[in-house]
Amino acid sequence: MVAVPAVVTDAYERLVAEFDKLSTTQKYAVGVAGGVASAYLVGSLLFKSKCEKSKPSTFELTGGSIDSAKVKEEFAAYADSYGKNAGEGIVDRSKTVHLVDVFYSLVTDIYEWGWGQSFHFSPKLPNKDLRASEAAHEARVAALLRVKPGMKVLDCGCGVGGPMRTIASVSGAHVTGITINQYQVDRATRHNEKQGVAPLTEVVRGDFLNMPFKENTFDGAYAIEATCHAPKLEGVYGEIFRVLKPGSYFVSYEWVSTAKYDASNPEHVKIIDEINFGNGLPEMRTYKEAEDAGKNVGFELVMSMDLATASVVAGPWYERLRMGKCTHTFNHMLVSAVDAVGLAPKGLKEVHHMLVEVAKSLIQGGETGVFTPMHLLLFRKPAPGEKKK
């Protein structure tokens, strides 16, 4: 396990915050600097004495809920679950829930290490740094849900709770998050306590296809790049519909293929297949399929728009990936190094390699316009006796 000193993560966040003040060339230089910072980080770990393992660390690279001895085995099983034919996705959809649990055990620490506590993309706002753009993307959800202090909100697929903490803070509402992964439950709960939002939050482990909540419980619900993991969208949308109070809203940022996607184009198919594999998706839906899934379970569709192309002034959602290419390369060299000397679970190197490769596919998806991770869908649950619009 690799302990990452807080001073390094703090320095990295400050570096990211300065991105919008730099030219394109300078941003690439910052990417290199991030790699050098990571080199220092892992290099210091390589020279640490094993007797220091008893000391509490602020962060570790692990296999999450998976025993370190089984990381390589579980990753191999995950990789084998995807079909070899173009456009096939996960072969046995009945295993999707388990595979998503495995996926997030494998990647959660790496996500936090390299990305932060909000596992999603955001359009880059003019004159705003990455963190401010991220917070605005999350705060939009609270506004669309029309939630207020005292209301109850559901975060469907909450991860380690980055958006939850923003939405609870800006709205004053109580947010309950659900995730299939126990490791993420523990991480999110710890972050909530550390950041002072524990009174407004709760995190539970559960399957969002069969949630442990009564009907008509929540005043609003949202999913940020999460329901794409469901084997069938109607399954998770139907559960959200059940637990929402009549008249309440549900917001989702969906991973979907766009109107530019051509299923007969081998390049397009390859991009989508790689995105599915590298992100634990059973398949890729179209935005129209997502709209229809909500309507099929009883929702009224209030709004549908691709936030990736909605603004002519916002920067590309994939810019952060593009500018981080150098850092990704450095980090993979470092993960390989700690793997070689036995300081990381066997198999973690392969997991990190998968994420480095899928970053390239995501960039291609954005540059070609065939994929978006932020198609906004706003649904409303009609009140009894109310005519559907």
Side-chain angles (χ1 to χ4, degrees), residues 61-83:
L61 289 178
T62 72
S65 302
I66 298 173
D67 184 274
S68 59
K70 295 183 177 180
V71 168
K72 189 170 185 178
E73 175 187 338
E74 289 286 2
F75 178 68
Y78 169 80
D80 288 343
S81 69
Y82 281 82

Side-chain angles (χ1 to χ4, degrees), residues 4-14 41 58-59 112-113:
V4 179
V7 63
V8 176
T9 55
D10 289 344
Y12 179 75
E13 289 186 0
R14 289 196 299 272
L41 180 157
T58 58
F59 188 70
E112 280 203 63
W113 176 40

Side-chain angles (χ1 to χ4, degrees), residues 8-325:
V8 176
T9 55
D10 289 344
Y12 179 75
E13 289 186 0
R14 289 196 299 272
L15 184 64
V16 170
E18 295 296 317
F19 261 26
D20 68 325
K21 300 179 182 179
L22 306 177
S23 67
T24 299
T25 301
Q26 289 172 323
K27 287 180 180 178
Y28 278 111
V30 169
V32 175
V36 173
S38 294
Y40 163 76
L41 180 157
V42 179
S44 67
L45 296 170
L46 291 173
F47 291 100
K48 276 193 174 184
S49 168
K50 288 188 177 182
C51 67
E52 292 183 305
K53 287 185 176 181
S54 60
K55 294 182 180 180
S57 60
T58 58
F59 188 70
E60 296 175 330
L61 289 178
T62 72
S65 302
I66 298 173
D67 184 274
S68 59
K70 295 183 177 180
V71 168
K72 189 170 185 178
E73 175 187 338
E74 289 286 2
F75 178 68
Y78 169 80
D80 288 343
S81 69
Y82 281 82
K84 307 307 177 186
N85 299 320
E88 191 170 2
I90 292 178
V91 177
D92 186 351
R93 297 296 167 86
S94 67
K95 296 181 179 179
T96 301
V97 173
H98 168 70
L99 290 169
V100 171
D101 187 13
V102 169
F103 175 80
Y104 277 109
S105 281
L106 294 171
V107 305
T108 289
D109 281 347
I110 297 175
Y111 275 8
E112 280 203 63
W113 176 40
W115 197 261
Q117 295 173 14
S118 292
F119 297 173
H120 63 78
F121 293 100
S122 309
K124 177 66 169 59
L125 301 181
N127 298 316
K128 300 295 181 183
D129 62 28
L130 293 171
R131 300 304 180 197
S133 299
E134 182 178 86
H137 195 56
E138 296 167 355
R140 179 191 292 110
V141 170
L144 289 170
L145 292 179
R146 292 113 163 131
V147 290
K148 303 174 182 178
M151 289 186 171
K152 295 181 179 180
V153 178
L154 172 67
D155 182 332
C156 195
C158 65
V160 298
M164 168 192 297
R165 288 183 282 280
T166 298
I167 291 167
S169 298
V170 301
S171 70
H174 185 279
V175 181
T176 297
I178 185 170
T179 172
I180 192 65
N181 187 261
Q182 183 60 48
Y183 185 67
Q184 291 191 333
V185 171
D186 298 338
R187 293 291 299 172
T189 301
R190 192 178 313 160
H191 289 317
N192 291 347
E193 293 172 350
K194 185 177 180 181
Q195 296 179 35
V197 296
L200 287 177
T201 58
E202 179 185 12
V203 190
V204 300
R205 184 184 185 188
D207 180 358
F208 58 28
L209 299 173
N210 184 25
M211 292 190 279
F213 309 120
K214 295 180 180 179
E215 294 182 2
N216 307 325
T217 296
F218 296 99
D219 300 290
Y222 65 89
I224 298 181
E225 302 182 23
T227 53
C228 51
H229 293 294
K232 189 176 181 181
L233 272 181
E234 280 86 351
V236 60
Y237 282 3
E239 270 294 271
I240 293 171
F241 185 89
R242 180 183 68 82
V243 302
L244 266 183
K245 294 178 181 178
S248 298
Y249 292 87
F250 163 49
V251 175
S252 185
Y253 290 164
E254 284 292 344
W255 282 39
V256 295
S257 59
T258 70
K260 292 185 177 181
Y261 174 73
D262 180 359
S264 66
N265 184 323
E267 180 190 3
H268 291 184
V269 174
K270 183 174 183 290
I271 289 170
I272 295 301
D273 279 349
E274 291 173 349
I275 290 174
N276 288 341
F277 172 68
N279 292 279
L281 276 59
E283 63 179 354
M284 185 69 67
R285 288 98 188 193
T286 68
Y287 75 92
K288 186 66 169 60
E289 288 173 332
E291 290 177 354
D292 290 343
K295 291 187 285 189
N296 289 343
V297 302
F299 278 119
E300 168 197 340
L301 179 62
V302 179
M303 185 188 304
S304 177
M305 63 185 298
D306 182 6
L307 295 177
T309 57
S311 173
V312 296
V313 295
W317 60 265
Y318 51 87
E319 188 69 7
R320 185 174 176 185
L321 288 175
R322 196 162 55 186
M323 293 301 177
K325 284 182 178 180

